[in-house]
Amino acid sequence: MPIVMVNIKEGRTVEQKRAMVTKMTDVLCETMNVKPASVRIIINEMKNDNFAIAGTLVCDDPSKQIKKN
Amino acid sequence: MPIVMVNIKEGRTVEQKRAMVTKMTDVLCETMNVKPASVRIIINEMKNDNFAIAGTLVCDDPSKQIKKN
Amino acid sequence: MPIVMVNIKEGRTVEQKRAMVTKMTDVLCETMNVKPASVRIIINEMKNDNFAIAGTLVCDDPSKQIKKN
Amino acid sequence: MPIVMVNIKEGRTVEQKRAMVTKMTDVLCETMNVKPASVRIIINEMKNDNFAIAGTLVCDDPSKQIKKN
Amino acid sequence: MPIVMVNIKEGRTVEQKRAMVTKMTDVLCETMNVKPASVRIIINEMKNDNFAIAGTLVCDDPSKQIKKN
Amino acid sequence: MPIVMVNIKEGRTVEQKRAMVTKMTDVLCETMNVKPASVRIIINEMKNDNFAIAGTLVCDDPSKQIKKN
């Protein structure tokens, strides 16, 4: 009964999140030998001033930000 | 000094959260033999497009959503 | 469908953990209006050299350690 | 730069974990439009007395335990 | 390649968060012997009705709230 | 009252962890304007077969492993 937390930067669409949870559930069922109904996936969208890489907040480095179309 | 994180779907009232943390703290004090002051409870409210069960986002399945009165 | 993570110091018995998850599940069902089957509780037992309070590891402060009977 | 934590019950082989992280990384790259090098996956293996479903520890319900071959 | 999650109450400024991640990254590089590029820090800002101390939500205890200037 | 979880690879000494929690607590007190007694730090040591970078478990890539002296 896998419980997954996925931390991603803000800016993804619902379509991207829908594709991700569908395929990630398939991977878990196939590799862990579990049924889909037992899989839970929590997405944590991090605001750009709440995630830092190499000591720099994403809000301070436009090259690290997700482009919204 | 228990530290608890509770992940719940969005849509609960402050009254529900207040009752939950009060009673959960009582349970921890009673079963873990700790003092109330040592208990910390973090609530993570998941938006309906940020939680998936069986590969389906809650936003795509109204039967899984919390009804707001 | 609440998912709970409980971080506690090492040294509790299975009896204590059993009582805790039973009563905590009751609290969640009562206050969040969910069914028992939807509740998941993950316990994370922290070793004494993996938890710090006020900048001091628990392994360095016997008064903070759980006494094993 | 997705950071994923996967909570699973104890009893899986390294081969299962290897297959899981490989395929999950592919899914994240494809759906989130990131490079493999940016993906981190943390696996948390829960002992049977540290995970409860419906208020019952897995160690108390053999039908919920992972069979080791 | 340390991955850190920092849970703090709402009300801090970007300046405070910027200073925190910069200095925390320095501490990790110095004590864990890693390079800055390998450090990830996730900040989780808890709303006052989503954090409880001693069984009381922060929203119910003004003395526990962060003062905004 | 910051609550921090630090995920690191296995292989660090208690001396390294002690230095890390001491200095990290100082950083939090200074930048978040809190008292040391309010800071909690949880360390999660990941075994080499429980952490993956770029889709590869650390146990499969000796260059990613922490050298023990």
PDB file of all heavy atoms in Angstrom, chain A residues 20-57:
ATOM      1  N   MET A  20       0.961  12.341 -14.585  1.00  0.00           N
ATOM      2  CA  MET A  20       1.977  11.846 -13.650  1.00  0.00           C
ATOM      3  C   MET A  20       1.404  10.815 -12.683  1.00  0.00           C
ATOM      4  O   MET A  20       1.976   9.741 -12.497  1.00  0.00           O
ATOM      5  CB  MET A  20       2.584  13.030 -12.890  1.00  0.00           C
ATOM      6  CG  MET A  20       3.797  12.705 -12.042  1.00  0.00           C
ATOM      7  SD  MET A  20       3.357  12.501 -10.285  1.00  0.00           S
ATOM      8  CE  MET A  20       3.150  14.218  -9.760  1.00  0.00           C
ATOM      9  N   VAL A  21       0.260  11.118 -12.057  1.00  0.00           N
ATOM     10  CA  VAL A  21      -0.279  10.167 -11.074  1.00  0.00           C
ATOM     11  C   VAL A  21      -0.764   8.886 -11.734  1.00  0.00           C
ATOM     12  O   VAL A  21      -0.672   7.801 -11.148  1.00  0.00           O
ATOM     13  CB  VAL A  21      -1.398  10.792 -10.188  1.00  0.00           C
ATOM     14  CG1 VAL A  21      -0.856  11.984  -9.413  1.00  0.00           C
ATOM     15  CG2 VAL A  21      -2.631  11.169 -10.985  1.00  0.00           C
ATOM     16  N   THR A  22      -1.276   8.985 -12.949  1.00  0.00           N
ATOM     17  CA  THR A  22      -1.728   7.771 -13.649  1.00  0.00           C
ATOM     18  C   THR A  22      -0.549   6.848 -13.915  1.00  0.00           C
ATOM     19  O   THR A  22      -0.576   5.656 -13.588  1.00  0.00           O
ATOM     20  CB  THR A  22      -2.389   8.158 -14.994  1.00  0.00           C
ATOM     21  OG1 THR A  22      -3.464   9.046 -14.741  1.00  0.00           O
ATOM     22  CG2 THR A  22      -2.905   6.918 -15.710  1.00  0.00           C
ATOM     23  N   LYS A  23       0.508   7.400 -14.485  1.00  0.00           N
ATOM     24  CA  LYS A  23       1.660   6.571 -14.859  1.00  0.00           C
ATOM     25  C   LYS A  23       2.461   6.123 -13.642  1.00  0.00           C
ATOM     26  O   LYS A  23       3.010   5.024 -13.604  1.00  0.00           O
ATOM     27  CB  LYS A  23       2.540   7.350 -15.842  1.00  0.00           C
ATOM     28  CG  LYS A  23       1.812   7.615 -17.159  1.00  0.00           C
ATOM     29  CD  LYS A  23       2.685   8.317 -18.190  1.00  0.00           C
ATOM     30  CE  LYS A  23       1.871   8.543 -19.473  1.00  0.00           C
ATOM     31  NZ  LYS A  23       2.694   9.066 -20.580  1.00  0.00           N
ATOM     32  N   MET A  24       2.549   6.980 -12.638  1.00  0.00           N
ATOM     33  CA  MET A  24       3.287   6.588 -11.430  1.00  0.00           C
ATOM     34  C   MET A  24       2.561   5.448 -10.708  1.00  0.00           C
ATOM     35  O   MET A  24       3.197   4.537 -10.166  1.00  0.00           O
ATOM     36  CB  MET A  24       3.446   7.798 -10.513  1.00  0.00           C
ATOM     37  CG  MET A  24       4.407   7.569  -9.384  1.00  0.00           C
ATOM     38  SD  MET A  24       4.667   9.065  -8.385  1.00  0.00           S
ATOM     39  CE  MET A  24       5.861   9.947  -9.374  1.00  0.00           C
ATOM     40  N   THR A  25       1.238   5.488 -10.717  1.00  0.00           N
ATOM     41  CA  THR A  25       0.470   4.386 -10.120  1.00  0.00           C
ATOM     42  C   THR A  25       0.722   3.083 -10.880  1.00  0.00           C
ATOM     43  O   THR A  25       0.903   2.018 -10.269  1.00  0.00           O
ATOM     44  CB  THR A  25      -1.029   4.749 -10.087  1.00  0.00           C
ATOM     45  OG1 THR A  25      -1.192   5.944  -9.311  1.00  0.00           O
ATOM     46  CG2 THR A  25      -1.862   3.635  -9.471  1.00  0.00           C
ATOM     47  N   ASP A  26       0.760   3.166 -12.207  1.00  0.00           N
ATOM     48  CA  ASP A  26       1.077   1.971 -13.002  1.00  0.00           C
ATOM     49  C   ASP A  26       2.448   1.404 -12.608  1.00  0.00           C
ATOM     50  O   ASP A  26       2.606   0.187 -12.442  1.00  0.00           O
ATOM     51  CB  ASP A  26       1.098   2.318 -14.500  1.00  0.00           C
ATOM     52  CG  ASP A  26      -0.292   2.565 -15.067  1.00  0.00           C
ATOM     53  OD1 ASP A  26      -1.284   2.224 -14.385  1.00  0.00           O
ATOM     54  OD2 ASP A  26      -0.396   3.111 -16.176  1.00  0.00           O
ATOM     55  N   VAL A  27       3.425   2.276 -12.493  1.00  0.00           N
ATOM     56  CA  VAL A  27       4.785   1.828 -12.138  1.00  0.00           C
ATOM     57  C   VAL A  27       4.784   1.132 -10.776  1.00  0.00           C
ATOM     58  O   VAL A  27       5.407   0.069 -10.600  1.00  0.00           O
ATOM     59  CB  VAL A  27       5.762   3.027 -12.128  1.00  0.00           C
ATOM     60  CG1 VAL A  27       7.065   2.665 -11.415  1.00  0.00           C
ATOM     61  CG2 VAL A  27       6.046   3.491 -13.552  1.00  0.00           C
ATOM     62  N   LEU A  28       4.070   1.704  -9.821  1.00  0.00           N
ATOM     63  CA  LEU A  28       4.047   1.110  -8.483  1.00  0.00           C
ATOM     64  C   LEU A  28       3.351  -0.250  -8.503  1.00  0.00           C
ATOM     65  O   LEU A  28       3.806  -1.196  -7.849  1.00  0.00           O
ATOM     66  CB  LEU A  28       3.373   2.063  -7.495  1.00  0.00           C
ATOM     67  CG  LEU A  28       4.241   3.265  -7.116  1.00  0.00           C
ATOM     68  CD1 LEU A  28       3.397   4.369  -6.509  1.00  0.00           C
ATOM     69  CD2 LEU A  28       5.342   2.864  -6.141  1.00  0.00           C
ATOM     70  N   CYS A  29       2.256  -0.357  -9.239  1.00  0.00           N
ATOM     71  CA  CYS A  29       1.543  -1.638  -9.307  1.00  0.00           C
ATOM     72  C   CYS A  29       2.426  -2.708  -9.938  1.00  0.00           C
ATOM     73  O   CYS A  29       2.469  -3.853  -9.475  1.00  0.00           O
ATOM     74  CB  CYS A  29       0.248  -1.479 -10.108  1.00  0.00           C
ATOM     75  SG  CYS A  29      -0.972  -0.463  -9.249  1.00  0.00           S
ATOM     76  N   GLU A  30       3.131  -2.317 -10.992  1.00  0.00           N
ATOM     77  CA  GLU A  30       3.943  -3.277 -11.737  1.00  0.00           C
ATOM     78  C   GLU A  30       5.179  -3.717 -10.930  1.00  0.00           C
ATOM     79  O   GLU A  30       5.500  -4.903 -10.869  1.00  0.00           O
ATOM     80  CB  GLU A  30       4.384  -2.618 -13.049  1.00  0.00           C
ATOM     81  CG  GLU A  30       5.269  -3.488 -13.915  1.00  0.00           C
ATOM     82  CD  GLU A  30       5.895  -2.687 -15.053  1.00  0.00           C
ATOM     83  OE1 GLU A  30       5.359  -1.609 -15.408  1.00  0.00           O
ATOM     84  OE2 GLU A  30       6.942  -3.118 -15.567  1.00  0.00           O
ATOM     85  N   THR A  31       5.853  -2.759 -10.297  1.00  0.00           N
ATOM     86  CA  THR A  31       7.132  -3.101  -9.655  1.00  0.00           C
ATOM     87  C   THR A  31       6.963  -3.556  -8.205  1.00  0.00           C
ATOM     88  O   THR A  31       7.787  -4.313  -7.697  1.00  0.00           O
ATOM     89  CB  THR A  31       8.118  -1.914  -9.700  1.00  0.00           C
ATOM     90  OG1 THR A  31       7.555  -0.802  -8.990  1.00  0.00           O
ATOM     91  CG2 THR A  31       8.423  -1.502 -11.130  1.00  0.00           C
ATOM     92  N   MET A  32       5.916  -3.100  -7.541  1.00  0.00           N
ATOM     93  CA  MET A  32       5.722  -3.436  -6.122  1.00  0.00           C
ATOM     94  C   MET A  32       4.675  -4.531  -5.944  1.00  0.00           C
ATOM     95  O   MET A  32       4.426  -4.986  -4.831  1.00  0.00           O
ATOM     96  CB  MET A  32       5.299  -2.193  -5.326  1.00  0.00           C
ATOM     97  CG  MET A  32       6.331  -1.092  -5.219  1.00  0.00           C
ATOM     98  SD  MET A  32       7.706  -1.512  -4.102  1.00  0.00           S
ATOM     99  CE  MET A  32       9.092  -1.473  -5.272  1.00  0.00           C
ATOM    100  N   ASN A  33       4.035  -4.905  -7.037  1.00  0.00           N
ATOM    101  CA  ASN A  33       3.022  -5.966  -7.000  1.00  0.00           C
ATOM    102  C   ASN A  33       1.847  -5.613  -6.080  1.00  0.00           C
ATOM    103  O   ASN A  33       1.474  -6.376  -5.184  1.00  0.00           O
ATOM    104  CB  ASN A  33       3.681  -7.286  -6.567  1.00  0.00           C
ATOM    105  CG  ASN A  33       2.803  -8.493  -6.852  1.00  0.00           C
ATOM    106  OD1 ASN A  33       1.978  -8.447  -7.761  1.00  0.00           O
ATOM    107  ND2 ASN A  33       2.979  -9.544  -6.065  1.00  0.00           N
ATOM    108  N   VAL A  34       1.296  -4.434  -6.298  1.00  0.00           N
ATOM    109  CA  VAL A  34       0.135  -3.986  -5.508  1.00  0.00           C
ATOM    110  C   VAL A  34      -1.012  -3.654  -6.465  1.00  0.00           C
ATOM    111  O   VAL A  34      -0.822  -3.559  -7.679  1.00  0.00           O
ATOM    112  CB  VAL A  34       0.458  -2.738  -4.652  1.00  0.00           C
ATOM    113  CG1 VAL A  34       1.515  -3.069  -3.613  1.00  0.00           C
ATOM    114  CG2 VAL A  34       0.899  -1.563  -5.528  1.00  0.00           C
ATOM    115  N   LYS A  35      -2.204  -3.489  -5.897  1.00  0.00           N
ATOM    116  CA  LYS A  35      -3.369  -3.115  -6.697  1.00  0.00           C
ATOM    117  C   LYS A  35      -3.494  -1.587  -6.749  1.00  0.00           C
ATOM    118  O   LYS A  35      -3.138  -0.908  -5.774  1.00  0.00           O
ATOM    119  CB  LYS A  35      -4.635  -3.712  -6.090  1.00  0.00           C
ATOM    120  CG  LYS A  35      -4.632  -5.241  -6.109  1.00  0.00           C
ATOM    121  CD  LYS A  35      -5.887  -5.802  -5.493  1.00  0.00           C
ATOM    122  CE  LYS A  35      -5.827  -7.329  -5.454  1.00  0.00           C
ATOM    123  NZ  LYS A  35      -6.888  -7.931  -4.653  1.00  0.00           N
ATOM    124  N   PRO A  36      -4.025  -1.063  -7.858  1.00  0.00           N
ATOM    125  CA  PRO A  36      -4.150   0.395  -7.964  1.00  0.00           C
ATOM    126  C   PRO A  36      -4.870   1.021  -6.766  1.00  0.00           C
ATOM    127  O   PRO A  36      -4.482   2.087  -6.289  1.00  0.00           O
ATOM    128  CB  PRO A  36      -4.960   0.589  -9.253  1.00  0.00           C
ATOM    129  CG  PRO A  36      -4.658  -0.629 -10.069  1.00  0.00           C
ATOM    130  CD  PRO A  36      -4.481  -1.757  -9.071  1.00  0.00           C
ATOM    131  N   ALA A  37      -5.914   0.360  -6.266  1.00  0.00           N
ATOM    132  CA  ALA A  37      -6.710   0.953  -5.187  1.00  0.00           C
ATOM    133  C   ALA A  37      -5.895   1.210  -3.930  1.00  0.00           C
ATOM    134  O   ALA A  37      -6.299   1.990  -3.068  1.00  0.00           O
ATOM    135  CB  ALA A  37      -7.903   0.058  -4.862  1.00  0.00           C
ATOM    136  N   SER A  38      -4.742   0.562  -3.802  1.00  0.00           N
ATOM    137  CA  SER A  38      -3.939   0.734  -2.586  1.00  0.00           C
ATOM    138  C   SER A  38      -2.946   1.890  -2.684  1.00  0.00           C
ATOM    139  O   SER A  38      -2.267   2.208  -1.704  1.00  0.00           O
ATOM    140  CB  SER A  38      -3.173  -0.554  -2.280  1.00  0.00           C
ATOM    141  OG  SER A  38      -2.101  -0.719  -3.180  1.00  0.00           O
ATOM    142  N   VAL A  39      -2.853   2.523  -3.851  1.00  0.00           N
ATOM    143  CA  VAL A  39      -1.842   3.573  -4.050  1.00  0.00           C
ATOM    144  C   VAL A  39      -2.403   4.963  -3.733  1.00  0.00           C
ATOM    145  O   VAL A  39      -3.487   5.311  -4.195  1.00  0.00           O
ATOM    146  CB  VAL A  39      -1.304   3.544  -5.506  1.00  0.00           C
ATOM    147  CG1 VAL A  39      -0.279   4.660  -5.720  1.00  0.00           C
ATOM    148  CG2 VAL A  39      -0.692   2.186  -5.833  1.00  0.00           C
ATOM    149  N   ARG A  40      -1.661   5.719  -2.940  1.00  0.00           N
ATOM    150  CA  ARG A  40      -2.006   7.104  -2.619  1.00  0.00           C
ATOM    151  C   ARG A  40      -0.842   7.992  -3.057  1.00  0.00           C
ATOM    152  O   ARG A  40       0.312   7.674  -2.733  1.00  0.00           O
ATOM    153  CB  ARG A  40      -2.187   7.304  -1.104  1.00  0.00           C
ATOM    154  CG  ARG A  40      -3.204   6.411  -0.444  1.00  0.00           C
ATOM    155  CD  ARG A  40      -4.603   6.925  -0.635  1.00  0.00           C
ATOM    156  NE  ARG A  40      -5.586   6.086   0.027  1.00  0.00           N
ATOM    157  CZ  ARG A  40      -6.040   4.920  -0.465  1.00  0.00           C
ATOM    158  NH1 ARG A  40      -5.588   4.448  -1.597  1.00  0.00           N
ATOM    159  NH2 ARG A  40      -6.953   4.242   0.187  1.00  0.00           N
ATOM    160  N   ILE A  41      -1.135   9.084  -3.761  1.00  0.00           N
ATOM    161  CA  ILE A  41      -0.084  10.022  -4.172  1.00  0.00           C
ATOM    162  C   ILE A  41      -0.471  11.429  -3.725  1.00  0.00           C
ATOM    163  O   ILE A  41      -1.535  11.934  -4.094  1.00  0.00           O
ATOM    164  CB  ILE A  41       0.151   9.997  -5.694  1.00  0.00           C
ATOM    165  CG1 ILE A  41       0.547   8.573  -6.146  1.00  0.00           C
ATOM    166  CG2 ILE A  41       1.241  10.997  -6.095  1.00  0.00           C
ATOM    167  CD1 ILE A  41       0.724   8.423  -7.661  1.00  0.00           C
ATOM    168  N   ILE A  42       0.397  12.030  -2.917  1.00  0.00           N
ATOM    169  CA  ILE A  42       0.214  13.406  -2.444  1.00  0.00           C
ATOM    170  C   ILE A  42       1.182  14.303  -3.220  1.00  0.00           C
ATOM    171  O   ILE A  42       2.376  14.013  -3.285  1.00  0.00           O
ATOM    172  CB  ILE A  42       0.550  13.514  -0.942  1.00  0.00           C
ATOM    173  CG1 ILE A  42      -0.350  12.593  -0.115  1.00  0.00           C
ATOM    174  CG2 ILE A  42       0.467  14.960  -0.463  1.00  0.00           C
ATOM    175  CD1 ILE A  42       0.109  12.445   1.353  1.00  0.00           C
ATOM    176  N   ILE A  43       0.659  15.358  -3.827  1.00  0.00           N
ATOM    177  CA  ILE A  43       1.517  16.320  -4.535  1.00  0.00           C
ATOM    178  C   ILE A  43       1.682  17.559  -3.657  1.00  0.00           C
ATOM    179  O   ILE A  43       0.704  18.103  -3.150  1.00  0.00           O
ATOM    180  CB  ILE A  43       0.901  16.715  -5.897  1.00  0.00           C
ATOM    181  CG1 ILE A  43       0.734  15.463  -6.778  1.00  0.00           C
ATOM    182  CG2 ILE A  43       1.770  17.756  -6.605  1.00  0.00           C
ATOM    183  CD1 ILE A  43      -0.042  15.722  -8.068  1.00  0.00           C
ATOM    184  N   ASN A  44       2.919  17.977  -3.466  1.00  0.00           N
ATOM    185  CA  ASN A  44       3.202  19.210  -2.728  1.00  0.00           C
ATOM    186  C   ASN A  44       3.801  20.204  -3.711  1.00  0.00           C
ATOM    187  O   ASN A  44       4.934  20.042  -4.157  1.00  0.00           O
ATOM    188  CB  ASN A  44       4.198  18.922  -1.589  1.00  0.00           C
ATOM    189  CG  ASN A  44       4.582  20.187  -0.837  1.00  0.00           C
ATOM    190  OD1 ASN A  44       3.770  21.101  -0.671  1.00  0.00           O
ATOM    191  ND2 ASN A  44       5.833  20.280  -0.403  1.00  0.00           N
ATOM    192  N   GLU A  45       3.013  21.225  -4.070  1.00  0.00           N
ATOM    193  CA  GLU A  45       3.514  22.256  -4.986  1.00  0.00           C
ATOM    194  C   GLU A  45       4.235  23.334  -4.188  1.00  0.00           C
ATOM    195  O   GLU A  45       3.630  24.009  -3.357  1.00  0.00           O
ATOM    196  CB  GLU A  45       2.350  22.890  -5.743  1.00  0.00           C
ATOM    197  CG  GLU A  45       1.764  21.971  -6.785  1.00  0.00           C
ATOM    198  CD  GLU A  45       0.716  22.675  -7.621  1.00  0.00           C
ATOM    199  OE1 GLU A  45      -0.371  22.958  -7.081  1.00  0.00           O
ATOM    200  OE2 GLU A  45       0.961  22.932  -8.799  1.00  0.00           O
ATOM    201  N   MET A  46       5.521  23.485  -4.469  1.00  0.00           N
ATOM    202  CA  MET A  46       6.319  24.452  -3.706  1.00  0.00           C
ATOM    203  C   MET A  46       6.330  25.803  -4.417  1.00  0.00           C
ATOM    204  O   MET A  46       6.683  25.894  -5.592  1.00  0.00           O
ATOM    205  CB  MET A  46       7.753  23.929  -3.586  1.00  0.00           C
ATOM    206  CG  MET A  46       7.824  22.551  -2.942  1.00  0.00           C
ATOM    207  SD  MET A  46       9.510  21.885  -2.940  1.00  0.00           S
ATOM    208  CE  MET A  46       9.723  21.485  -4.684  1.00  0.00           C
ATOM    209  N   LYS A  47       5.954  26.843  -3.686  1.00  0.00           N
ATOM    210  CA  LYS A  47       6.048  28.194  -4.247  1.00  0.00           C
ATOM    211  C   LYS A  47       7.532  28.543  -4.452  1.00  0.00           C
ATOM    212  O   LYS A  47       8.413  28.000  -3.777  1.00  0.00           O
ATOM    213  CB  LYS A  47       5.408  29.216  -3.311  1.00  0.00           C
ATOM    214  CG  LYS A  47       3.900  29.047  -3.180  1.00  0.00           C
ATOM    215  CD  LYS A  47       3.244  30.310  -2.625  1.00  0.00           C
ATOM    216  CE  LYS A  47       3.879  30.753  -1.313  1.00  0.00           C
ATOM    217  NZ  LYS A  47       3.344  32.037  -0.836  1.00  0.00           N
ATOM    218  N   ASN A  48       7.770  29.444  -5.374  1.00  0.00           N
ATOM    219  CA  ASN A  48       9.160  29.757  -5.720  1.00  0.00           C
ATOM    220  C   ASN A  48       9.959  30.386  -4.583  1.00  0.00           C
ATOM    221  O   ASN A  48      11.190  30.366  -4.611  1.00  0.00           O
ATOM    222  CB  ASN A  48       9.202  30.666  -6.957  1.00  0.00           C
ATOM    223  CG  ASN A  48       8.809  29.932  -8.227  1.00  0.00           C
ATOM    224  OD1 ASN A  48       8.939  28.708  -8.295  1.00  0.00           O
ATOM    225  ND2 ASN A  48       8.317  30.664  -9.216  1.00  0.00           N
ATOM    226  N   ASP A  49       9.280  30.926  -3.587  1.00  0.00           N
ATOM    227  CA  ASP A  49      10.029  31.438  -2.426  1.00  0.00           C
ATOM    228  C   ASP A  49      10.051  30.408  -1.289  1.00  0.00           C
ATOM    229  O   ASP A  49      10.443  30.745  -0.162  1.00  0.00           O
ATOM    230  CB  ASP A  49       9.483  32.775  -1.936  1.00  0.00           C
ATOM    231  CG  ASP A  49       8.021  32.709  -1.536  1.00  0.00           C
ATOM    232  OD1 ASP A  49       7.340  31.743  -1.919  1.00  0.00           O
ATOM    233  OD2 ASP A  49       7.547  33.627  -0.838  1.00  0.00           O
ATOM    234  N   ASN A  50       9.658  29.182  -1.604  1.00  0.00           N
ATOM    235  CA  ASN A  50       9.685  28.119  -0.593  1.00  0.00           C
ATOM    236  C   ASN A  50      10.507  26.912  -1.020  1.00  0.00           C
ATOM    237  O   ASN A  50      10.331  25.817  -0.490  1.00  0.00           O
ATOM    238  CB  ASN A  50       8.253  27.684  -0.248  1.00  0.00           C
ATOM    239  CG  ASN A  50       7.585  28.633   0.735  1.00  0.00           C
ATOM    240  OD1 ASN A  50       8.259  29.368   1.447  1.00  0.00           O
ATOM    241  ND2 ASN A  50       6.272  28.615   0.775  1.00  0.00           N
ATOM    242  N   PHE A  51      11.393  27.094  -1.982  1.00  0.00           N
ATOM    243  CA  PHE A  51      12.274  26.002  -2.407  1.00  0.00           C
ATOM    244  C   PHE A  51      13.625  26.601  -2.773  1.00  0.00           C
ATOM    245  O   PHE A  51      13.685  27.612  -3.487  1.00  0.00           O
ATOM    246  CB  PHE A  51      11.681  25.249  -3.608  1.00  0.00           C
ATOM    247  CG  PHE A  51      12.465  24.032  -4.024  1.00  0.00           C
ATOM    248  CD1 PHE A  51      12.931  23.113  -3.082  1.00  0.00           C
ATOM    249  CD2 PHE A  51      12.753  23.776  -5.359  1.00  0.00           C
ATOM    250  CE1 PHE A  51      13.649  21.980  -3.472  1.00  0.00           C
ATOM    251  CE2 PHE A  51      13.469  22.646  -5.748  1.00  0.00           C
ATOM    252  CZ  PHE A  51      13.919  21.755  -4.798  1.00  0.00           C
ATOM    253  N   ALA A  52      14.679  25.994  -2.259  1.00  0.00           N
ATOM    254  CA  ALA A  52      16.032  26.501  -2.521  1.00  0.00           C
ATOM    255  C   ALA A  52      16.907  25.379  -3.045  1.00  0.00           C
ATOM    256  O   ALA A  52      16.860  24.247  -2.562  1.00  0.00           O
ATOM    257  CB  ALA A  52      16.643  27.072  -1.250  1.00  0.00           C
ATOM    258  N   ILE A  53      17.717  25.719  -4.050  1.00  0.00           N
ATOM    259  CA  ILE A  53      18.715  24.816  -4.606  1.00  0.00           C
ATOM    260  C   ILE A  53      20.055  25.519  -4.452  1.00  0.00           C
ATOM    261  O   ILE A  53      20.196  26.692  -4.814  1.00  0.00           O
ATOM    262  CB  ILE A  53      18.426  24.537  -6.098  1.00  0.00           C
ATOM    263  CG1 ILE A  53      17.021  23.964  -6.259  1.00  0.00           C
ATOM    264  CG2 ILE A  53      19.476  23.604  -6.696  1.00  0.00           C
ATOM    265  CD1 ILE A  53      16.553  23.894  -7.697  1.00  0.00           C
ATOM    266  N   ALA A  54      21.020  24.809  -3.880  1.00  0.00           N
ATOM    267  CA  ALA A  54      22.356  25.381  -3.711  1.00  0.00           C
ATOM    268  C   ALA A  54      22.322  26.695  -2.930  1.00  0.00           C
ATOM    269  O   ALA A  54      23.103  27.610  -3.194  1.00  0.00           O
ATOM    270  CB  ALA A  54      23.029  25.581  -5.067  1.00  0.00           C
ATOM    271  N   GLY A  55      21.386  26.799  -1.999  1.00  0.00           N
ATOM    272  CA  GLY A  55      21.333  27.976  -1.138  1.00  0.00           C
ATOM    273  C   GLY A  55      20.621  29.170  -1.723  1.00  0.00           C
ATOM    274  O   GLY A  55      20.600  30.244  -1.113  1.00  0.00           O
ATOM    275  N   THR A  56      20.020  29.004  -2.924  1.00  0.00           N
ATOM    276  CA  THR A  56      19.329  30.119  -3.582  1.00  0.00           C
ATOM    277  C   THR A  56      17.852  29.790  -3.753  1.00  0.00           C
ATOM    278  O   THR A  56      17.507  28.742  -4.317  1.00  0.00           O
ATOM    279  CB  THR A  56      19.950  30.387  -4.971  1.00  0.00           C
ATOM    280  OG1 THR A  56      21.332  30.687  -4.802  1.00  0.00           O
ATOM    281  CG2 THR A  56      19.261  31.535  -5.676  1.00  0.00           C
ATOM    282  N   LEU A  57      16.981  30.681  -3.287  1.00  0.00           N
ATOM    283  CA  LEU A  57      15.549  30.488  -3.496  1.00  0.00           C
ATOM    284  C   LEU A  57      15.242  30.521  -4.996  1.00  0.00           C
ATOM    285  O   LEU A  57      15.826  31.322  -5.742  1.00  0.00           O
ATOM    286  CB  LEU A  57      14.757  31.585  -2.783  1.00  0.00           C
ATOM    287  CG  LEU A  57      14.792  31.571  -1.241  1.00  0.00           C
ATOM    288  CD1 LEU A  57      14.135  32.841  -0.701  1.00  0.00           C
ATOM    289  CD2 LEU A  57      14.097  30.332  -0.684  1.00  0.00           C
TER     290      LEU A  57
END
